[in-house]
Amino acid sequence: MLQNNIQIFIWCLSLVSTTFAIECLPYPVASVCKIEYVSYNPGDGITFPKGYQQFIIKSSVSTKKGYSKVATMDPDLYEAMHRPSSIEMIGVALRTIALPSELLLGDFTGNWIASVDTSSAENYKITYLDLSSNTLDDMHFVKRLVNLEFLSLRTNRIKTIPALVLNTLTKLKYLYLQYNHFTTIPWNDIPSSLIHLDCSHSVVRSVEFANISLPSLEYLNLQYNFIPSINVSDLIQATPQLKEAHLFNVDIDWPRMGEIMSELASKNISYSNYYDGCPFDGNYTIKLGRCYRRRRQKPPADVGIDKKAVMVSIVAVGSGVLFVYIMLIACRRMKQLRWF
Ligand SMILES: *[C@@H]1O[C@H](CO)[C@@H](O)[C@H](O)[C@H]1NC(C)=O
Ligand SMILES: *[C@@H]1O[C@H](CO)[C@@H](O)[C@H](O)[C@H]1NC(C)=O
Ligand SMILES: *[C@@H]1O[C@H](CO)[C@@H](O)[C@H](O)[C@H]1NC(C)=O
Ligand SMILES: *[C@@H]1O[C@H](CO)[C@@H](O)[C@H](O)[C@H]1NC(C)=O
């Protein structure tokens, strides 16, 4: 009997703790609900305040409960939020997302997301999707996000950019793929709408700009890959709107990098200059993108006999002779004392 009561009590307690009221923090925009703490696992009964178009859940340690934890963004959670058009869930330990097809904006930066399900609809409305700093190793899921204008997959584990995925994103303007593990970029799949492309800090091993067209591209970042050569005239041909290009790669040697920079400068394309204050004379060298002053070369050794060298040799020979003489005397003395 007592045990039963205890069980009921515990059950009630758990019910209370999973259905605690979620409240919006004061926020100057009426359509936005900013939430300090949420905990959600599939099946939890959870309700959000009504009447908000946008939810912002960012981790904060100021609550006693600690960081928010949302294990998954599933259809039940989206219903519980009353189907908002915009969701930002940053640093809440999310592992999977089933993307709602009506969502317009999703910012899921800094979670542990390993998969995004985009199989529930043919077309998705989303225009802005930020999945920076997660653990994604596959990007096939973006194929159906045909309305995207902004996509960030920065700092994930993507090993390949699959063919015929990016070409469906015909409205894409900003694409961030830096800090991943891919080795090639499918240039022919890059949508012609793209303005900004960042593929730095990956492991790209070659680029070929002949016969491709990136008519809107204004910004290109390919630095810190393993690209051994870049044909800038082909690049400029392919990108008539290019305004800024960052092309530093360790495998491009220093004189060639200088040529590349002057080619860019002649077309008024700006670039980060790792060589600022590093003049192209024999006194400086670049290692790993940094400028070092070379060590002064020692002047070649004089052929004539140096006075100092002569003095040093005299002293050396003199002390050698003295040492042998002392040893001889010592031996003789030892013989006299019959030590041997
Ligand atoms: C570019 O296209 C021309 C003509 O279509 C072809 O001859 C050339 O081999 C192509 N170059 C590259 C690098 O694909
Ligand atoms: C760049 O490619 C063009 C052909 O597309 C070629 O004529 C030119 O010599 C190349 N430039 C360099 C520096 O390799
Ligand atoms: C680069 O800019 C300068 C001044 O801003 C201009 O005079 C020059 O024509 C431009 N050159 C090119 C190739 O656009
Ligand atoms: C290196 O620097 C010295 C002065 O410190 C200068 O006289 C010399 O011309 C420089 N070398 C080159 C190759 O410019």
Side-chain angles (χ1 to χ4, degrees):
M1 183 63 190
L2 180 68
Q3 210 176 354
N4 257 359
N5 278 346
I6 289 173
Q7 268 174 4
I8 288 165
F9 177 72
I10 288 173
W11 180 78
C12 284
L13 206 65
S14 73
L15 203 67
V16 166
S17 69
T18 56
T19 59
F20 70 95
I22 293 173
E23 282 175 10
C24 305
L25 293 168
Y27 200 82
V29 183
S31 60
V32 177
C33 175
K34 194 166 181 205
I35 296 167
E36 173 122 76
Y37 177 83
V38 173
S39 167
Y40 176 74
N41 285 297
D44 284 356
I46 189 169
T47 39
F48 288 80
K50 270 194 181 146
Y52 293 96
Q53 276 306 300
Q54 181 176 359
F55 282 92
I56 301 175
I57 304 167
K58 275 187 194 164
S59 261
S60 150
V61 275
S62 56
T63 62
K64 202 177 159 194
K65 304 177 200 88
Y67 288 116
S68 289
K69 285 180 204 70
V70 180
T72 177
M73 168 76 220
D74 61 8
D76 289 347
L77 184 62
Y78 190 60
E79 288 299 330
M81 292 174 135
H82 316 289
R83 313 175 80 82
S85 58
S86 168
I87 297 177
E88 293 173 39
M89 284 203 253
I90 297 167
V92 298
L94 263 175
R95 288 178 183 277
T96 59
I97 294 179
L99 204 70
S101 61
E102 305 110 283
L103 195 69
L104 290 176
L105 179 150
D107 185 347
F108 303 104
T109 301
N111 287 288
W112 302 332
I113 299 164
S115 75
V116 178
D117 183 354
T118 56
S119 63
S120 71
E122 267 310 310
N123 285 321
Y124 285 76
K125 287 190 179 160
I126 196 158
T127 63
Y128 182 108
L129 180 57
D130 196 338
L131 289 163
S132 303
S133 301
N134 279 287
T135 61
L136 292 162
D137 59 8
D138 184 271
M139 58 181 281
H140 280 95
F141 71 89
V142 305
K143 192 176 166 68
R144 282 187 171 162
L145 311 181
V146 294
N147 290 300
L148 278 180
E149 293 176 25
F150 175 105
L151 173 62
S152 178
L153 297 173
R154 176 200 156 105
T155 315
N156 274 278
R157 298 175 183 172
I158 294 160
K159 288 201 183 70
T160 52
I161 304 173
L164 306 179
V165 165
L166 291 174
N167 65 331
T168 62
L169 311 183
T170 55
K171 299 174 184 171
L172 194 62
K173 292 190 173 79
Y174 292 83
L175 179 57
Y176 299 85
L177 295 171
Q178 66 267 42
Y179 294 98
N180 275 289
H181 307 310
F182 53 86
T183 56
T184 56
I185 299 166
W187 294 104
N188 285 312
D189 287 351
I190 304 284
S192 60
S193 51
L194 203 70
I195 291 172
H196 187 112
L197 177 61
D198 196 330
C199 289
S200 63
H201 296 91
S202 289
V203 288
V204 178
R205 302 205 174 267
S206 69
V207 287
E208 176 58 76
F209 294 109
N211 298 347
I212 64 156
S213 174
L214 303 164
S216 312
L217 202 70
E218 293 179 11
Y219 174 99
L220 177 64
N221 195 338
L222 294 174
Q223 69 189 5
Y224 295 106
N225 280 281
F226 296 91
I227 303 169
S229 70
I230 294 175
N231 186 321
V232 179
S233 44
D234 285 351
L235 169 63
I236 287 164
Q237 191 101 39
T239 58
Q241 299 296 320
L242 197 61
K243 292 183 172 62
E244 190 172 338
H246 303 280
L247 305 177
F248 177 79
N249 273 266
V250 174
D251 296 353
I252 300 176
D253 67 23
W254 186 33
R256 175 65 193 135
M257 207 55 227
E259 284 172 25
I260 287 175
M261 290 192 301
S262 43
E263 281 175 87
L264 293 174
S266 74
K267 302 285 179 198
N268 286 348
I269 297 168
S270 62
Y271 48 85
S272 20
N273 189 353
Y274 302 93
Y275 307 90
D276 261 352
C278 200
F280 277 82
D281 66 21
N283 286 331
Y284 292 88
T285 184
I286 301 281
K287 277 183 192 141
L288 298 171
R290 303 180 96 169
C291 183
Y292 294 95
R293 194 180 165 88
R294 278 187 212 273
R295 287 203 186 150
R296 288 252 171 79
Q297 297 260 307
K298 278 184 196 158
D302 221 329
V303 185
I305 296 163
D306 190 38
K307 266 186 202 160
K308 209 169 158 190
V310 171
M311 290 295 285
V312 168
S313 340
I314 288 171
V315 170
V317 170
S319 38
V321 168
L322 195 65
F323 178 73
V324 170
Y325 180 68
I326 289 166
M327 286 300 285
L328 271 174
I329 290 176
C331 276
R332 236 185 254 164
R333 188 88 185 115
M334 279 185 233
K335 252 187 190 161
Q336 280 170 5
L337 297 173
R338 302 193 186 179
W339 280 10
F340 300 126

